[in-house]
Amino acid sequence: MDDTPVPDDDPKPQGKGRPTPKRRDAEGRRRQYVSAPKDRKEAYRQMRAKQATEREKARQGMLAGDERYLPVRDKGPARKFARDWVDARRLPSQYFLPFSLVILLATWIPWPMAIRAQVLGYVVTIGWPIMMLGVLFTSVFVAFKVKKEVAEKLPDESVKGVGFYAAMRALQIRKLRFPPPRVLPGGRPVPPKK
């Protein structure tokens, strides 16, 4: 008698080697058990921790410019285009706040009386009017230009409020803009942070 194994004609294994689990067993393994809080304080603590996690996730999404996490006023392709258009340019209106601070500080410095009268005269008669005219003309130009370009490039999008949105963004200091700029002045993309 020969004890050598006889080769099987069918090279494929038969079946999967185990029985198919019942649905209740498969679903039971996927479920995560949540332990009920012991008292109200523990429930409140768990709720606060969950909310803090969700807020941090939303904040990171907003900083990354993820549309899902942006406020309603910043959503949509027209608003995104307006943000990029403003961020790709250096506009006189973005220097409004720093210039205002300089003018304010110039009026607070205790100059000698002769110089103080001249400083206040220059600020009131030259500084503020030039600044306000610059802001006004820049805001009107930005609003008009952005609305026109949105209408051309995104014909299916509404241009309602886009000009005002772009003009208000142009008034902000670049570092303080929200959502953060995605393009540098000149149009190059902002390099990723390390």
Side-chain angles (χ1 to χ4, degrees):
M1 214 167 180
D2 192 9
D3 287 330
T4 59
V6 179
D8 194 10
D9 291 3
D10 190 12
K12 292 187 230 172
Q14 295 295 322
K16 60 186 171 208
R18 60 182 171 77
T20 301
K22 291 190 169 70
R23 176 178 279 185
R24 66 182 154 91
D25 296 334
E27 287 177 353
R29 274 187 242 121
R30 284 195 305 256
R31 283 193 186 120
Q32 295 177 349
Y33 292 99
V34 177
S35 60
K38 297 173 193 155
D39 56 3
R40 274 185 38 209
K41 285 185 180 180
E42 181 63 27
Y44 183 69
R45 211 172 288 121
Q46 286 179 2
M47 182 185 70
R48 296 279 298 198
K50 183 180 176 186
Q51 287 175 343
T53 306
E54 289 172 358
R55 276 194 307 272
E56 181 59 25
K57 183 180 175 186
R59 189 179 80 76
Q60 292 298 329
M62 281 191 275
L63 290 175
D66 189 349
E67 283 276 329
R68 294 174 295 171
Y69 299 108
L70 291 177
V72 176
R73 70 181 168 97
D74 295 319
K75 286 186 179 180
R79 303 293 171 114
K80 183 178 177 185
F81 176 82
R83 284 194 301 271
D84 290 346
W85 190 93
V86 169
D87 294 339
R89 289 159 180 76
R90 290 193 192 276
L91 299 163
S93 60
Q94 77 186 47
Y95 301 107
F96 168 70
L97 291 175
F99 188 65
S100 297
L101 184 63
V102 167
I103 288 177
L104 200 59
L105 290 175
T107 59
W108 285 354
I109 294 176
W111 305 99
M113 285 309 269
I115 296 174
R116 183 172 177 78
Q118 285 182 336
V119 168
L120 288 175
Y122 287 133
V123 165
V124 171
T125 60
I126 297 172
W128 280 106
I130 288 175
M131 181 183 64
M132 296 313 278
L133 285 174
V135 167
L136 179 67
F137 286 128
T138 304
S139 298
V140 169
F141 169 75
V142 166
F144 174 76
K145 190 74 170 169
V146 168
K147 280 176 83 170
K148 181 180 174 187
E149 289 198 23
V150 165
E152 288 174 5
K153 295 187 180 186
L154 303 167
D156 297 336
E157 289 294 316
S158 170
V159 295
K160 182 179 180 186
V162 174
F164 182 75
Y165 178 77
M168 289 297 104
R169 188 167 178 92
L171 278 173
Q172 298 170 354
I173 298 171
R174 185 176 179 79
K175 295 268 185 197
L176 302 179
R177 290 178 183 166
F178 181 82
R182 298 179 328 120
V183 293
L184 296 170
R188 295 185 327 270
V190 173
K193 292 182 181 178
K194 295 175 184 173

